[in-house]
Amino acid sequence: MFSRNSKEKGIESVLFVISTLTVAILFLICLFLFRDGLLLFKETSLLDFLTGKFWYPTSVNEQFGLVPLFLGSLLVTVGAILFSVPLGVASAIYISEIAHPKVADFLKPFIEILAGVPSVVYGFFGLVVLVPLMQETFNLPTGQTALTGSIMLGIMALPTIVTISEDAISSVPGTLRQGSLALGATRWQTIYKVIIPAAISGISAAVMLGVGRAIGETMVVLMVTGNAAIIPSFPGGFLDPVRTMTATIALEMGEVPQGSDHFHALFAVGSVLFIITFLVNLVADSIKKKYRFKVS
């Protein structure tokens, strides 16, 4: 008995140390990120950074405006969500509820393989195939646009959304399906009035994970969006070249002098990106708890 208790306490101690270490690492990352980002505001006001419409870091009169980068990221992310969420949830419903078991067993491994494809491969595919197609279809000077980036990010987010949504739908108790059908509901009525509401917690988590991947992706948007740090036009902004916050950091961090205002501006952009991702996770967690409470 003493030996068993010792082993349990040892395992608990190891898990506690690992959890504490994870929190400490996250805290140090935040400290490192925000420390260098805040140094920018010794020379530039926070309001000018958040509302600035121009990003000219290499000009004589340096301007570090977040607006074009933020709008570029927002446009590409929204487009990716509009593309991937309906298609991903519909695919998850088909695999879990409609497809023959053999068809479902055939499709699921391929979808999971797509999640492991490196982002640079998606970017290369978009650059070689999708960019010329967009240019010819819409008669544009260049096919490297926000729409191209949205489609590619949507494709990348699909495996995550499909896999997690399918797991959530499959985990709905069979008694709910059987009870709905026994009361005279059709298969489609059972799906969208019983199964989807019961699985909405997992589906919302899948959507938020897909959003998180779209927000934080770098290589694909770096290759297919044109990297023009300008405010997209309205309403045709999806057909304009844009630059995202992640692409800006990747493009400029390697050449910027350490300790310069430009260097600190990139850390400030990273800080904003961190805050946005944190808020997305908070929203996802609140939605998950809310719908879990309703279902229970």
Side-chain angles (χ1 to χ4, degrees):
M1 179 65 68
F2 177 77
S3 177
R4 181 177 180 181
N5 289 336
S6 300
K7 289 181 179 180
E8 291 179 353
K9 289 181 179 179
I11 293 173
E12 290 176 359
S13 299
V14 171
L15 294 176
F16 175 77
V17 170
I18 293 174
S19 301
T20 305
L21 183 62
T22 302
V23 174
I25 291 173
L26 179 61
F27 175 77
L28 291 175
I29 291 174
C30 295
L31 181 64
F32 169 74
L33 189 64
F34 287 104
R35 181 198 63 184
D36 285 313
L38 290 173
L39 292 176
L40 172 69
F41 305 117
K42 289 183 176 180
E43 304 294 335
T44 303
S45 70
L46 177 62
L47 184 62
D48 289 340
F49 173 72
L50 294 177
T51 62
K53 297 180 179 179
F54 303 99
W55 181 267
Y56 295 144
T58 58
S59 62
V60 177
N61 297 320
E62 294 180 326
Q63 298 185 58
F64 303 107
L66 183 66
V67 172
L69 309 182
F70 175 77
L71 291 180
S73 297
L74 180 64
L75 194 63
V76 172
T77 302
V78 169
I81 294 170
L82 293 176
F83 175 81
S84 62
V85 171
L87 192 58
V89 174
S91 299
I93 293 172
Y94 172 76
I95 293 173
S96 179
E97 298 295 323
I98 301 173
H100 190 276
K102 291 185 178 180
V103 176
D105 292 340
F106 176 79
L107 291 176
K108 287 171 67 175
F110 285 97
I111 293 174
E112 293 170 358
I113 289 173
L114 287 176
V117 175
S119 58
V120 67
V121 175
Y122 284 106
F124 184 71
F125 171 80
L127 188 63
V128 173
V129 177
L130 195 57
V131 167
L133 181 63
M134 287 292 171
Q135 185 176 7
E136 294 177 5
T137 302
F138 296 101
N139 193 25
L140 300 172
T142 176
Q144 293 177 309
T145 62
L147 180 60
T148 310
S150 296
I151 294 174
M152 293 308 305
L153 287 183
I155 293 173
M156 292 183 64
L158 270 176
T160 301
I161 296 174
V162 173
T163 301
I164 299 178
S165 296
E166 194 272 334
D167 290 339
I169 294 171
S170 298
S171 65
V172 175
T175 53
L176 292 179
R177 297 179 177 85
Q178 295 167 7
S180 176
L181 294 172
L183 290 172
T186 64
R187 177 188 287 187
W188 287 108
Q189 288 173 331
T190 300
I191 289 174
Y192 72 81
K193 288 188 176 182
V194 177
I195 296 174
I196 298 302
I200 194 65
S201 175
I203 293 174
S204 63
V207 170
M208 287 302 172
L209 286 173
V211 171
R213 179 164 191 183
I215 292 175
E217 180 55 45
T218 302
M219 184 57 65
V220 169
V221 294
L222 190 67
M223 298 175 70
V224 302
T225 58
N227 298 308
I230 56 176
I231 297 177
S233 61
F234 182 83
F238 276 108
L239 298 180
D240 292 337
V242 296
R243 179 188 287 188
T244 64
M245 291 185 285
T246 53
T248 300
I249 296 172
L251 277 172
E252 300 178 5
M253 184 58 76
E255 301 177 354
V256 63
Q258 188 170 359
S260 63
D261 289 343
H262 187 189
F263 178 83
H264 296 309
L266 294 177
F267 272 91
V269 172
S271 300
V272 172
L273 191 61
F274 178 87
I275 293 172
I276 292 173
T277 305
F278 181 74
L279 291 176
V280 168
N281 288 331
L282 283 181
V283 171
D285 187 61
S286 64
I287 292 174
K288 188 175 180 180
K289 290 180 179 178
K290 177 181 177 181
Y291 284 106
R292 177 179 293 172
F293 174 78
K294 285 186 175 182
V295 172
S296 61

